[in-house]
Amino acid sequence: MLTRLAVVAAALALGSAAFAQDAAPRETVSASLSGKKVSIEYGRPSLKGRTLDSLIAQLPEDRIWRAGVDQVTTLTTEGALTVSGKRVPAGKYSLYVHAPAEGAWSLVLNGDLGIPLIKLWDKAPANLANEPWPHLEGYSNILGKEVVRAAMTPGAAAPVAEMFTVKLAAAGAGATLTMSWGDKSWLLELAAAK
């Protein structure tokens, strides 16, 4: 935990110009489920010569990853969803991935949307000052606001994804969520709640 706090503190110590220059691109993907929009907004880290396994090995003890980089990754839905049989009300959620050392990875939706960067770093660039960032003290402090945790189906990414990529593809009354990075991918079915 102290190592993670030190890394975050070091990253926040960068000057505004350096911070903006090194920022990963952000992307929003969306699909329509029974006429209601579902979107995911996330930062796109690159492998940059590293392996996914080496990056995942750096996760904290709880093995929770924000499913992107920089600001909190969010899922916004105009209508209620069903994720692995559990109803998720319309709204905006932070999106994480639970990546255990062994076993299935899981999508995690949480009602806590993070903390404005300005509260973590008083020199935050104006364009990012009010953007939500993960809490420095770890996921355990927001575990009580978890809405759903759903196992994803693993697969192989084709082609290999240098940048972390999220896709939402409409499928009947639902959508398939696909996350890809390196040579791996994970799938999860989302459905409009009845």
Side-chain angles (χ1 to χ4, degrees):
M1 177 59 105
L2 291 177
T3 301
R4 186 166 71 170
L5 289 174
V7 169
V8 172
L12 293 178
L14 294 172
S16 296
F19 187 84
Q21 183 179 15
D22 291 339
R26 294 200 64 81
E27 184 169 328
T28 300
V29 296
S30 60
S32 179
L33 279 73
S34 295
K36 302 288 185 177
K37 183 178 177 181
V38 176
S39 61
I40 296 174
E41 196 261 334
Y42 68 108
R44 299 192 65 198
S46 294
L47 289 174
K48 297 180 181 176
R50 304 167 292 185
T51 67
L52 179 57
D53 290 338
S54 69
L55 292 172
I56 296 303
Q58 297 175 36
L59 286 175
E61 188 176 323
D62 61 17
R63 307 293 294 181
I64 294 288
W65 173 51
R66 71 181 106 169
V69 69
D70 300 331
Q71 295 104 299
V72 171
T73 296
T74 58
L75 179 142
T76 304
T77 178
E78 293 177 347
L81 301 176
T82 301
V83 180
S84 287
K86 181 157 184 180
R87 184 180 174 87
V88 176
K92 186 173 185 176
Y93 303 92
S94 54
L95 189 154
Y96 297 89
V97 169
H98 176 237
E102 294 183 20
W105 287 24
S106 298
L107 174 90
V108 180
L109 295 180
N110 194 295
D112 184 280
L113 295 176
I115 184 168
L117 180 59
I118 194 69
K119 291 187 176 186
L120 300 171
W121 184 33
D122 62 358
K123 293 181 176 66
N127 63 323
L128 296 174
N130 293 309
E131 292 297 319
W133 289 68
H135 296 271
L136 296 180
E137 62 275 0
Y139 187 79
S140 62
N141 289 315
I142 61 169
L143 182 61
K145 294 183 179 181
E146 190 168 293
V147 175
V148 68
R149 187 175 291 217
M152 298 186 288
T153 303
V160 171
E162 166 65 20
M163 293 180 80
F164 176 63
T165 303
V166 176
K167 293 181 181 176
L168 278 174
T176 301
L177 166 66
T178 305
M179 295 181 178
S180 304
W181 205 11
D183 61 352
K184 296 178 173 62
S185 69
W186 304 268
L187 296 122
L188 181 65
E189 299 300 323
L190 307 177
K194 299 192 188 240

